[in-house]
Amino acid sequence: MSKALIPTYDICSLAMGKPASEDILVARFPEYLGIHQDLHFPHRHSFYHLAFFTGGSGSHTIDFERFPVKAGQLYFMVPGQVHSWFFTGKTEGYIMNVSAAFFNAFLQDGAYVERFPFFSGVSAEGVVQLPKTAIPGITNLFESMLREMSGLEVYNQDMLRLLTLEMFIQVARASRQDQARQEPPHNYVLLRNFRKLVDQHYMQLRLPKDYAALLYVTPNYLNAFCRHMLGKSAGEIIRDRVLLEAKRLLINADMSISSIAWQLSFADNSYFTKFFKKYVGVTPEEFRKNIS
């Protein structure tokens, strides 16, 4: 295992010869992989990353959760997630790298993309298997984006924004067709706000009552709400975020277990080890050895 930290790529470093100022890249998978051959190693992005598979096989790992690659599958990743892939045979499809700033000049709501459930930052929620009837439409949208990327038409950046948002909406509609219930919009707003607060404060705040106070709801309501929306309590969501960060830090072989425990605000190394083993099933040392 490399002793370096997990590399973080910005959108300019993966530009494939495009001008460094661009905030969006759309490319076919074979061309992208041909230029960036080292991207199968674990890495992060500072931008939103989307992969759409139309053919091929293998696996894709996002935040230590592995998914088999299938045709008609989309992977949505938010900035900071750790991912890697292992493909067998030729992989067909498309990739998109897009910065948050790409939408800021176009939409009043700078966090608009976070409304979509597949941009929650939770690995399983970011993997969407399209129904067969939806695949041609999404493929056509990617082809239209590629034409805009290579063309010199006026307003091509605005057209790319429109096509990207249309794709997000079409995927969201297709992925929600099988859902038995349709939640009111304010439920998704509350869930997004809770997750955002957890992401900001999980190192210091570990109790549901702390987040309930920030959200102006009672702890009982927050727990019931999380169970209704996700099948987990608020405490489990906070705990899972701590465990995820612990796993990310354990990839860095230069960090000692005690340093990681301190960074995650555990009282001592022993408590951190017991906590990690209880929920992951192995000690931090064993986890580090297994991923090496």
Side-chain angles (χ1 to χ4, degrees):
M1 178 172 57
S2 170
K3 290 187 177 296
L5 287 166
I6 303 170
T8 300
Y9 295 105
D10 60 35
I11 201 163
C12 297
S13 62
L14 303 177
M16 294 180 67
K18 302 291 183 181
S21 61
E22 287 198 6
D23 286 317
I24 185 170
L25 169 71
V26 183
R28 290 187 175 86
F29 236 119
E31 299 170 8
Y32 188 74
L33 293 177
I35 294 176
H36 305 298
Q37 297 181 12
D38 290 337
L39 290 183
H40 61 279
F41 294 111
H43 62 279
R44 307 175 193 251
H45 299 136
S46 63
F47 47 84
Y48 295 97
H49 178 68
L50 166 62
F52 176 39
F53 296 105
T54 58
S57 59
S59 64
H60 191 181
T61 301
I62 308 174
D63 279 336
F64 313 99
E65 191 168 352
R66 181 172 295 175
F67 304 92
V69 169
K70 299 177 183 177
Q73 216 172 42
L74 294 107
Y75 290 74
F76 294 87
M77 281 153 279
V78 303
Q81 286 190 287
V82 177
H83 83 113
S84 59
W85 49 44
F86 177 76
F87 299 132
T88 55
K90 187 176 181 181
T91 304
E92 298 288 349
Y94 307 86
I95 67 95
M96 172 188 289
N97 297 336
V98 59
S99 70
F102 183 69
F103 298 103
N104 290 346
F106 191 68
L107 299 167
Q108 260 191 327
D109 183 358
Y112 179 84
V113 296
E114 295 177 10
R115 297 183 185 185
F116 296 104
F118 39 75
F119 279 131
S120 68
V122 178
S123 302
E125 294 176 13
V127 180
V128 177
Q129 181 66 54
L130 289 176
K132 289 184 178 180
T133 54
I135 294 175
I138 301 301
T139 301
N140 288 338
L141 284 171
F142 272 101
E143 288 294 330
S144 296
M145 292 179 208
L146 287 172
R147 287 192 291 272
E148 292 294 333
M149 287 290 297
S150 59
L152 298 174
E153 294 286 342
V154 293
Y155 307 118
N156 67 327
Q157 291 289 295
D158 289 334
M159 183 59 74
L160 279 166
R161 292 183 177 98
L162 287 172
L163 291 168
T164 301
L165 289 175
E166 181 180 353
M167 188 266 291
F168 291 168
I169 292 169
Q170 294 292 357
V171 171
R173 287 177 173 177
S175 62
R176 291 177 66 175
Q177 287 178 354
D178 297 332
Q179 292 184 0
R181 69 174 190 266
Q182 292 294 320
E183 297 293 338
H186 62 80
N187 277 7
Y188 291 106
V189 173
L190 178 58
L191 181 61
R192 185 171 72 247
N193 289 342
F194 172 55
R195 281 174 159 168
K196 189 175 291 187
L197 285 171
V198 171
D199 208 43
Q200 292 171 347
H201 303 294
Y202 66 91
M203 288 190 184
Q204 297 81 29
L205 305 180
R206 299 285 170 84
L207 299 176
K209 68 177 183 179
D210 299 323
Y211 294 93
L214 293 171
L215 293 165
Y216 301 101
V217 299
T218 66
N220 286 342
Y221 179 85
L222 182 61
N223 269 315
F225 172 78
C226 290
R227 288 193 183 279
H228 170 73
M229 294 293 289
L230 302 173
K232 295 180 177 181
S233 69
E236 288 176 298
I237 294 169
I238 300 165
R239 181 199 70 203
D240 288 348
R241 182 63 185 87
V242 176
L243 288 169
L244 172 58
E245 195 62 24
K247 292 175 182 178
R248 289 175 174 176
L249 292 172
L250 284 165
I251 288 183
N252 178 17
D254 285 343
M255 285 191 76
S256 67
I257 303 301
S258 58
S259 295
I260 293 172
W262 179 83
Q263 184 163 328
L264 294 175
S265 302
F266 283 88
D268 54 52
N269 182 30
S270 175
Y271 178 45
F272 169 63
T273 297
K274 290 177 182 177
F275 170 83
F276 191 90
K277 185 173 183 179
K278 179 179 179 180
Y279 296 109
V280 180
V282 296
T283 66
E285 292 87 349
E286 290 169 332
F287 178 84
R288 172 173 274 174
K289 182 178 179 181
N290 290 340
I291 64 173
S292 63

